[in-house]
Amino acid sequence: MGKGTDKLYITHSEWASEDAYSASAGSGLSKSNAPDNTFKRLPFNFCALSLQPFKSPACTSDGTTFDIDNILPWLSKHGTNPVNGQPLKTTDLIKLHFLKNDEGEMVDPVTYKVFTDNTHLVAVGNTGNVYAWDTVERLNVKAKMWKDLLSDVEFGRKDIITLQDPLNVKDRNLSDFKYLREGVNTLTEEQQRERNAGVNKSALGSAASVLKDKDTAAAPAKPQVGKYLYQQPSSTSPSTSLTKTSSTNGIPKSQALHTSKAIPYNAAQHTTGQAAASFTSTGLTPHTGGDLALLSDEEYMLKPRRVKKPGYARISTNHGDINLELLPEFAPKAVWNFVQLSQKGYYNGVVFHRNIRNFMLQGGDPTGTGKGGASIWNKNFADEFDGPLSHDARGVVSMANKGKDTNGSQFFITYRPCKHLDRKHTIFARVVGGTDTLSKIENVEVSEGEKRPVVDVRMDGVVVFVDPFEEFLREKRERDREVVEREELRRMGGTEDERVTWTGKRVRGGAKGEGDGAAGLQGVGRYLAGGGGGAAATATATATPTNNGQVLAEWESGEPVKKKLKAGGGFGNFDNW
C-alpha cells in the first residue's frame, strides 16, 4: 500500500505529497490549482458596481447586471466595464424587466416561480424580459417557437443572455472583479460630499484630532471586497460557500429573499386559498404563498376554552326574575347566540310554550308554537358537547333542538336532574337566582295534551349584566396596551429604577440634583446634612431626605466595637468540662 513498500498503511508525508490522492490534492494536482477559498458570490438581485440591490437593472451582453443609476456615472468617467475592464458604452446596456408578485419577490412571468440565487436566469436581448431557463428551454428552444413569451417579438438563440447560472458561478465571484481588486472608489462626487458631510468634526472634541490625523495619514487604497462582504473561513469548501451565500453576502434581513413572518394571534389553521383560486382562474392575480387566513374577533372568541370567565343575565317574566350564569368556556357559540339575541331584544314578549312539571320549562320561539325561532346567524349551529357539563341538577339551561346540530333560539330550563339529556342538548347556563320564580312557573296550570300554560308565562325581557365576550376583548386590549407601553418604556431606557449607566451602575433620580445644604459635597456627604463632618463627628445623624423626599441614610456613630481577643493555644484547664 505504501510507496515502494509492502506496508498496509500510508504515512503522513506520503499522504500530503503532491502525487497523493485526497479531496484537495492528488493525481499531480499542484497548489496553484487548489480550490479558491476566497470565493464570494454576488446575489442575482444586486448591482455589480454598488453591491446593493438594484432598482433599475440593466445588463451587458455577457450578463453582468448593474443599476442604471450607478453605472451611468461610472461610464461617463471611465468608459469601461468595472468588472472586467473592457470598453463599455451606454448603448451596450440592455434594460431588464423583472416581474414581481404581491410580496415584492421577483418571479418568472410564466410559471410565477420565485427567483433565488440557485435559479438559472436568462434574459431576451431584444426585449429585456427575464425568465427562468427552464421556461425558455421548454417553451422556446424545444418547441422551436422563437418569439418572446410576453411581447411576441422574434429573437434568436444568440439573443439569449445568461444572467445567472448556478452551475457556473465564477462570473459572479466578487474576488475577480477588477475595480474591487484595484480598490477603485465607485462613489460619485455628490455621494462623496454627502459621506464627508456626515461627520461634524468640530463637535467631536478630542476625537476630531484623531480623525484629522487619520485623514492626513491616509493609506493607499486597498481592495474593498472585505468591506462589503463576509470573509469565508479558509477551511470552507466551495460547495459550502455556495450554500451559505444567501446568509453571508451582506443582504439585510429586511431584504432577504424569504422572510419569516410573525404569525398573528388570530391566525386560522387553514390558508386563504388564494393560491388554489389563482391556479384555477385566469381572472385572479397569481398567488404562490400559503398565507394563513385571519379570523374575525367573533370567530376567534368562539373557540372552546378560550373565553373562560362566566357571564350573567336576568330573565324578567310576569311571575318574577330568574338569574342565569352563562358558561362560555365549553359552549361559546350557544352563549354568544343567547347574548346577542338578548341584546337585540329578540326574547322580549316571547312566551314559554311548554311547561312539564318535574321535567322542564321550554321557550324562546317568537311564534309561540315551538316550531319557529332562528339563531343570530339565521341558520342552525352545531352542538357543543366538549366539556364536563351535565344535566345533573335543577336549573340547568340547555338549547332545544330537533336533532343533531339543529340549534336555533329555543332553550329550556330543567326542574330536576336529567342525565339522559347529556350529549343530546348543549348546556350553556344555569340558574343561580330566582328559584322561587322557577317554582311558581312549575306549578302553573297547563293544558292536558300540549302541556302549554293556560295563562301565558311571558318573558318581558332579558338583560345581560356581564357579557363574557366584551370582558374578554376589554382585557385583551388592556394587555396589548401594556405590552406596547412596556416596549416603548424599554426602548426609552426603562423606568427610573431600571436605568443604568454603560457600566451597569443604577442611575438614581436625585443623583444629579443640587442638595439644599450639601451642594458642594461629593460622594456620601452630598446625601447628609452639612456641618460637623470628619473623623471627630460622633453625634447621631438623623434621617436626611433627598430632593425627591426619600430617606437615604439613618445611622448612629458611637465607640468602635472592640474585637474579641483570640484565645490562646492549648487545652487550658478542665474546669468547664
Side-chain angles (χ1 to χ4, degrees), residues 475-490:
E475 293 177 358
K476 184 183 181 304
R477 285 193 295 266
E478 292 179 356
R479 290 195 300 268
D480 294 343
R481 186 176 65 254
E482 291 176 358
V483 170
V484 173
E485 291 177 354
R486 286 198 300 269
E487 180 64 22
E488 182 66 18
L489 190 62
R490 184 195 63 79

Side-chain angles (χ1 to χ4, degrees), residues 24-39:
S24 59
S27 186
L29 183 66
S30 62
K31 294 183 179 180
S32 59
N33 296 328
D36 184 11
N37 290 328
T38 61
F39 175 81

Side-chain angles (χ1 to χ4, degrees), residues 170-301:
K170 290 184 178 181
D171 294 338
R172 307 190 69 83
N173 185 7
L174 290 172
S175 301
D176 296 337
F177 285 11
K178 184 175 184 297
Y179 77 97
L180 290 178
R181 292 199 311 268
E182 297 177 355
V184 180
N185 185 13
T186 61
L187 298 178
T188 62
E189 295 181 359
E190 183 179 357
Q191 292 174 340
Q192 191 66 41
R193 286 195 302 269
E194 291 178 357
R195 176 168 295 186
N196 295 337
V199 179
N200 185 5
K201 298 181 180 180
S202 62
L204 293 179
S206 59
S209 59
V210 177
L211 291 178
K212 183 177 180 180
D213 296 340
K214 180 177 180 297
D215 293 341
T216 55
K222 297 181 180 180
Q224 302 179 6
V225 180
K227 179 179 180 181
Y228 299 100
L229 300 176
Y230 174 81
Q231 176 68 38
Q232 293 282 359
S234 59
S235 60
T236 306
S237 62
S239 60
T240 308
S241 301
L242 292 177
T243 58
K244 293 185 178 181
T245 301
S246 60
S247 61
T248 59
N249 58 11
I251 303 178
K253 291 184 178 179
S254 60
Q255 300 177 358
L257 296 178
H258 299 283
T259 58
S260 57
K261 300 179 181 178
I263 300 178
Y265 75 94
N266 58 342
Q269 298 297 325
H270 57 276
T271 63
T272 57
Q274 294 181 5
S278 63
F279 179 74
T280 56
S281 174
T282 58
L284 298 177
T285 302
H287 188 87
T288 59
D291 301 333
L292 296 177
L294 298 182
L295 302 176
S296 62
D297 288 342
E298 177 182 341
E299 294 172 334
Y300 176 71
M301 292 187 295

